[in-house]
Amino acid sequence: MIRIISEFIDHPLTDEQIDLIARQCTFEKMKNNAMVNRESLPVGDLFDMSETKFMRKGIIGDWKKNFKKKEDELFEEAFTER
């Protein structure tokens, strides 16, 4: 996919560059990256990084352990409106 995207934007990459990008984009690498987690470049009104990291566990459905029923309802309402 990296090669396809790089060719689409007319910026071909070497095999070594593609390998490096692929390694840096693994969940393990990204969850420990301060930039990905907005620790180095916070987006104040988007996420409160003092509570949790942006990249947490990478487990599908894990959000259910963190959202209370009311929070889920509020999210669904806001999502539906938008």
Side-chain angles (χ1 to χ4, degrees):
M1 186 56 66
I2 298 166
R3 185 178 308 282
I4 291 169
I5 293 169
S6 74
E7 289 172 358
F8 178 77
I9 63 172
D10 199 26
H11 189 79
L13 300 171
T14 66
D15 289 342
E16 293 78 21
Q17 290 170 316
I18 290 171
D19 186 52
L20 176 62
I21 293 167
R23 283 183 306 199
Q24 293 299 318
C25 290
T26 65
F27 185 83
E28 284 301 313
K29 281 280 192 179
M30 291 182 69
K31 81 175 190 176
N32 295 311
N33 183 316
M35 289 296 289
V36 171
N37 285 297
R38 295 182 175 86
E39 295 167 22
S40 299
L41 181 65
V43 180
D45 62 340
L46 187 58
F47 295 105
D48 180 1
M49 294 303 134
S50 65
E51 293 294 320
T52 185
K53 287 187 172 189
F54 181 73
M55 304 284 289
R56 296 176 328 188
K57 295 180 186 175
I59 299 172
I60 296 171
D62 189 56
W63 64 270
K64 295 175 186 176
K65 295 177 184 173
N66 296 289
F67 271 30
K68 296 178 177 86
K69 183 169 176 43
K70 183 64 177 171
E71 291 170 327
D72 182 33
E73 291 169 357
L74 290 169
F75 174 83
E76 284 298 324
E77 182 181 322
F79 180 78
T80 301
E81 287 175 13
R82 290 182 177 95

